[in-house]
Amino acid sequence: MARPDKAAAVAELTDQFRNSNAAVLTEYRGLTVAQLKTLRRSLGENAQYAVVKNTLTKIAANEAGITTLDDQFNGPTAVAFITGDPVESAKGLRDFAKDNPNLVIKGGVLDGKALSADEIKKLADLESREVLLSKLAGAMKGKQSQAASVFQALPSKLVRTLDALRAKQDEQGGAE
């Protein structure tokens, strides 16, 4: 029978996996407490970085329905549980890892799909959700104004054509 403290830890980790949009596994060997504190701040408000026990975290991930991370639970492991925009936290991890080579990104999961370390770095290269939505809205607004111009041009062209036709008839009628 499992000890109550371990069962509680597994239940808490399971909830974190279930309530997160993404989770990123890292190896933190050689980082100081101060560096870990800096890393936690760099992840943003929507991420929680926790040093975890591999066996308990593997059990929790499996209970949450995530089995793709099983082979990554070796060595000193910490997990970034991300509840908001995963791009912001991925950028924080990538930038911190550039400055501190002791932080190794092992892999992760995004909306149930397994991600390799390279895919997490590619995710970090994306622009934030807000920027992408702004660009989409700008493109849509531009297309709407172009469409409005086309639709406005059709009636005015028709009016000009009718005016020219009337003027031509007036000339022909006045010449007779």
PDB file of all heavy atoms in Angstrom, residues 70-89:
ATOM      1  N   ASP A  70       7.060   8.625 -20.746  1.00  0.00           N
ATOM      2  CA  ASP A  70       7.613   7.606 -19.847  1.00  0.00           C
ATOM      3  C   ASP A  70       9.125   7.469 -19.933  1.00  0.00           C
ATOM      4  O   ASP A  70       9.800   7.305 -18.920  1.00  0.00           O
ATOM      5  CB  ASP A  70       6.956   6.249 -20.104  1.00  0.00           C
ATOM      6  CG  ASP A  70       5.523   6.201 -19.579  1.00  0.00           C
ATOM      7  OD1 ASP A  70       5.088   7.178 -18.933  1.00  0.00           O
ATOM      8  OD2 ASP A  70       4.845   5.188 -19.832  1.00  0.00           O
ATOM      9  N   ASP A  71       9.692   7.534 -21.135  1.00  0.00           N
ATOM     10  CA  ASP A  71      11.134   7.322 -21.285  1.00  0.00           C
ATOM     11  C   ASP A  71      11.961   8.544 -20.895  1.00  0.00           C
ATOM     12  O   ASP A  71      13.186   8.481 -20.857  1.00  0.00           O
ATOM     13  CB  ASP A  71      11.462   6.906 -22.715  1.00  0.00           C
ATOM     14  CG  ASP A  71      11.024   7.938 -23.735  1.00  0.00           C
ATOM     15  OD1 ASP A  71      10.114   8.724 -23.427  1.00  0.00           O
ATOM     16  OD2 ASP A  71      11.595   7.950 -24.845  1.00  0.00           O
ATOM     17  N   GLN A  72      11.318   9.651 -20.575  1.00  0.00           N
ATOM     18  CA  GLN A  72      12.051  10.881 -20.239  1.00  0.00           C
ATOM     19  C   GLN A  72      12.207  11.100 -18.731  1.00  0.00           C
ATOM     20  O   GLN A  72      12.816  12.072 -18.312  1.00  0.00           O
ATOM     21  CB  GLN A  72      11.374  12.088 -20.882  1.00  0.00           C
ATOM     22  CG  GLN A  72      11.404  12.006 -22.385  1.00  0.00           C
ATOM     23  CD  GLN A  72      10.699  13.179 -23.043  1.00  0.00           C
ATOM     24  OE1 GLN A  72      10.255  14.106 -22.394  1.00  0.00           O
ATOM     25  NE2 GLN A  72      10.593  13.113 -24.352  1.00  0.00           N
ATOM     26  N   PHE A  73      11.655  10.215 -17.937  1.00  0.00           N
ATOM     27  CA  PHE A  73      11.750  10.355 -16.486  1.00  0.00           C
ATOM     28  C   PHE A  73      13.003   9.652 -15.980  1.00  0.00           C
ATOM     29  O   PHE A  73      12.945   8.579 -15.391  1.00  0.00           O
ATOM     30  CB  PHE A  73      10.497   9.794 -15.802  1.00  0.00           C
ATOM     31  CG  PHE A  73       9.273  10.624 -16.047  1.00  0.00           C
ATOM     32  CD1 PHE A  73       8.239  10.140 -16.818  1.00  0.00           C
ATOM     33  CD2 PHE A  73       9.159  11.899 -15.514  1.00  0.00           C
ATOM     34  CE1 PHE A  73       7.105  10.892 -17.043  1.00  0.00           C
ATOM     35  CE2 PHE A  73       8.025  12.660 -15.736  1.00  0.00           C
ATOM     36  CZ  PHE A  73       7.005  12.168 -16.502  1.00  0.00           C
ATOM     37  N   ASN A  74      14.151  10.269 -16.242  1.00  0.00           N
ATOM     38  CA  ASN A  74      15.416   9.771 -15.716  1.00  0.00           C
ATOM     39  C   ASN A  74      16.295  10.961 -15.382  1.00  0.00           C
ATOM     40  O   ASN A  74      16.189  12.016 -15.979  1.00  0.00           O
ATOM     41  CB  ASN A  74      16.107   8.820 -16.703  1.00  0.00           C
ATOM     42  CG  ASN A  74      16.191   9.413 -18.088  1.00  0.00           C
ATOM     43  OD1 ASN A  74      16.228  10.623 -18.259  1.00  0.00           O
ATOM     44  ND2 ASN A  74      16.234   8.566 -19.092  1.00  0.00           N
ATOM     45  N   GLY A  75      17.142  10.794 -14.396  1.00  0.00           N
ATOM     46  CA  GLY A  75      17.978  11.905 -13.944  1.00  0.00           C
ATOM     47  C   GLY A  75      17.148  12.923 -13.173  1.00  0.00           C
ATOM     48  O   GLY A  75      15.947  12.764 -13.008  1.00  0.00           O
ATOM     49  N   PRO A  76      17.789  13.988 -12.695  1.00  0.00           N
ATOM     50  CA  PRO A  76      17.041  15.009 -11.957  1.00  0.00           C
ATOM     51  C   PRO A  76      16.063  15.725 -12.897  1.00  0.00           C
ATOM     52  O   PRO A  76      16.464  16.301 -13.896  1.00  0.00           O
ATOM     53  CB  PRO A  76      18.116  15.951 -11.427  1.00  0.00           C
ATOM     54  CG  PRO A  76      19.322  15.671 -12.240  1.00  0.00           C
ATOM     55  CD  PRO A  76      19.201  14.277 -12.776  1.00  0.00           C
ATOM     56  N   THR A  77      14.783  15.640 -12.586  1.00  0.00           N
ATOM     57  CA  THR A  77      13.751  16.157 -13.472  1.00  0.00           C
ATOM     58  C   THR A  77      12.933  17.239 -12.786  1.00  0.00           C
ATOM     59  O   THR A  77      12.605  17.130 -11.602  1.00  0.00           O
ATOM     60  CB  THR A  77      12.810  15.013 -13.916  1.00  0.00           C
ATOM     61  OG1 THR A  77      13.590  13.989 -14.535  1.00  0.00           O
ATOM     62  CG2 THR A  77      11.755  15.493 -14.888  1.00  0.00           C
ATOM     63  N   ALA A  78      12.610  18.257 -13.567  1.00  0.00           N
ATOM     64  CA  ALA A  78      11.674  19.296 -13.132  1.00  0.00           C
ATOM     65  C   ALA A  78      10.687  19.497 -14.273  1.00  0.00           C
ATOM     66  O   ALA A  78      11.024  19.317 -15.442  1.00  0.00           O
ATOM     67  CB  ALA A  78      12.405  20.590 -12.813  1.00  0.00           C
ATOM     68  N   VAL A  79       9.468  19.857 -13.907  1.00  0.00           N
ATOM     69  CA  VAL A  79       8.409  20.015 -14.905  1.00  0.00           C
ATOM     70  C   VAL A  79       7.863  21.426 -14.833  1.00  0.00           C
ATOM     71  O   VAL A  79       7.583  21.939 -13.751  1.00  0.00           O
ATOM     72  CB  VAL A  79       7.258  19.008 -14.669  1.00  0.00           C
ATOM     73  CG1 VAL A  79       6.185  19.166 -15.728  1.00  0.00           C
ATOM     74  CG2 VAL A  79       7.766  17.593 -14.634  1.00  0.00           C
ATOM     75  N   ALA A  80       7.717  22.041 -16.013  1.00  0.00           N
ATOM     76  CA  ALA A  80       7.038  23.330 -16.120  1.00  0.00           C
ATOM     77  C   ALA A  80       5.612  23.033 -16.551  1.00  0.00           C
ATOM     78  O   ALA A  80       5.377  22.592 -17.673  1.00  0.00           O
ATOM     79  CB  ALA A  80       7.740  24.230 -17.119  1.00  0.00           C
ATOM     80  N   PHE A  81       4.657  23.238 -15.640  1.00  0.00           N
ATOM     81  CA  PHE A  81       3.241  23.064 -15.943  1.00  0.00           C
ATOM     82  C   PHE A  81       2.719  24.406 -16.451  1.00  0.00           C
ATOM     83  O   PHE A  81       2.739  25.400 -15.726  1.00  0.00           O
ATOM     84  CB  PHE A  81       2.458  22.626 -14.709  1.00  0.00           C
ATOM     85  CG  PHE A  81       2.844  21.261 -14.217  1.00  0.00           C
ATOM     86  CD1 PHE A  81       3.659  21.110 -13.116  1.00  0.00           C
ATOM     87  CD2 PHE A  81       2.375  20.122 -14.861  1.00  0.00           C
ATOM     88  CE1 PHE A  81       4.010  19.850 -12.655  1.00  0.00           C
ATOM     89  CE2 PHE A  81       2.721  18.853 -14.408  1.00  0.00           C
ATOM     90  CZ  PHE A  81       3.543  18.719 -13.308  1.00  0.00           C
ATOM     91  N   ILE A  82       2.239  24.446 -17.689  1.00  0.00           N
ATOM     92  CA  ILE A  82       1.838  25.694 -18.339  1.00  0.00           C
ATOM     93  C   ILE A  82       0.330  25.706 -18.516  1.00  0.00           C
ATOM     94  O   ILE A  82      -0.230  24.833 -19.172  1.00  0.00           O
ATOM     95  CB  ILE A  82       2.548  25.841 -19.702  1.00  0.00           C
ATOM     96  CG1 ILE A  82       4.057  25.733 -19.512  1.00  0.00           C
ATOM     97  CG2 ILE A  82       2.161  27.137 -20.371  1.00  0.00           C
ATOM     98  CD1 ILE A  82       4.834  25.463 -20.777  1.00  0.00           C
ATOM     99  N   THR A  83      -0.325  26.712 -17.935  1.00  0.00           N
ATOM    100  CA  THR A  83      -1.780  26.802 -18.037  1.00  0.00           C
ATOM    101  C   THR A  83      -2.218  27.860 -19.041  1.00  0.00           C
ATOM    102  O   THR A  83      -3.351  27.844 -19.488  1.00  0.00           O
ATOM    103  CB  THR A  83      -2.403  27.138 -16.670  1.00  0.00           C
ATOM    104  OG1 THR A  83      -1.792  28.320 -16.158  1.00  0.00           O
ATOM    105  CG2 THR A  83      -2.218  25.993 -15.702  1.00  0.00           C
ATOM    106  N   GLY A  84      -1.349  28.759 -19.416  1.00  0.00           N
ATOM    107  CA  GLY A  84      -1.710  29.816 -20.362  1.00  0.00           C
ATOM    108  C   GLY A  84      -1.073  29.587 -21.714  1.00  0.00           C
ATOM    109  O   GLY A  84      -1.052  28.471 -22.229  1.00  0.00           O
ATOM    110  N   ASP A  85      -0.528  30.658 -22.284  1.00  0.00           N
ATOM    111  CA  ASP A  85       0.110  30.608 -23.590  1.00  0.00           C
ATOM    112  C   ASP A  85       1.426  29.835 -23.495  1.00  0.00           C
ATOM    113  O   ASP A  85       2.349  30.269 -22.814  1.00  0.00           O
ATOM    114  CB  ASP A  85       0.359  32.035 -24.084  1.00  0.00           C
ATOM    115  CG  ASP A  85       0.929  32.095 -25.484  1.00  0.00           C
ATOM    116  OD1 ASP A  85       0.885  31.064 -26.184  1.00  0.00           O
ATOM    117  OD2 ASP A  85       1.399  33.171 -25.884  1.00  0.00           O
ATOM    118  N   PRO A  86       1.536  28.677 -24.149  1.00  0.00           N
ATOM    119  CA  PRO A  86       2.758  27.883 -24.044  1.00  0.00           C
ATOM    120  C   PRO A  86       3.956  28.531 -24.735  1.00  0.00           C
ATOM    121  O   PRO A  86       5.095  28.224 -24.407  1.00  0.00           O
ATOM    122  CB  PRO A  86       2.394  26.558 -24.704  1.00  0.00           C
ATOM    123  CG  PRO A  86       1.218  26.840 -25.552  1.00  0.00           C
ATOM    124  CD  PRO A  86       0.513  28.016 -24.957  1.00  0.00           C
ATOM    125  N   VAL A  87       3.707  29.447 -25.670  1.00  0.00           N
ATOM    126  CA  VAL A  87       4.809  30.085 -26.397  1.00  0.00           C
ATOM    127  C   VAL A  87       5.658  30.923 -25.442  1.00  0.00           C
ATOM    128  O   VAL A  87       6.884  30.880 -25.477  1.00  0.00           O
ATOM    129  CB  VAL A  87       4.265  30.944 -27.560  1.00  0.00           C
ATOM    130  CG1 VAL A  87       5.373  31.721 -28.224  1.00  0.00           C
ATOM    131  CG2 VAL A  87       3.558  30.071 -28.572  1.00  0.00           C
ATOM    132  N   GLU A  88       5.001  31.672 -24.572  1.00  0.00           N
ATOM    133  CA  GLU A  88       5.718  32.544 -23.631  1.00  0.00           C
ATOM    134  C   GLU A  88       6.635  31.731 -22.721  1.00  0.00           C
ATOM    135  O   GLU A  88       7.805  32.071 -22.524  1.00  0.00           O
ATOM    136  CB  GLU A  88       4.704  33.324 -22.787  1.00  0.00           C
ATOM    137  CG  GLU A  88       5.336  34.218 -21.739  1.00  0.00           C
ATOM    138  CD  GLU A  88       4.301  34.873 -20.833  1.00  0.00           C
ATOM    139  OE1 GLU A  88       3.096  34.719 -21.065  1.00  0.00           O
ATOM    140  OE2 GLU A  88       4.727  35.540 -19.872  1.00  0.00           O
ATOM    141  N   SER A  89       6.113  30.629 -22.184  1.00  0.00           N
ATOM    142  CA  SER A  89       6.920  29.792 -21.291  1.00  0.00           C
ATOM    143  C   SER A  89       8.029  29.069 -22.049  1.00  0.00           C
ATOM    144  O   SER A  89       9.136  28.921 -21.534  1.00  0.00           O
ATOM    145  CB  SER A  89       6.021  28.781 -20.584  1.00  0.00           C
ATOM    146  OG  SER A  89       5.064  29.461 -19.806  1.00  0.00           O
TER     147      SER A  89
END
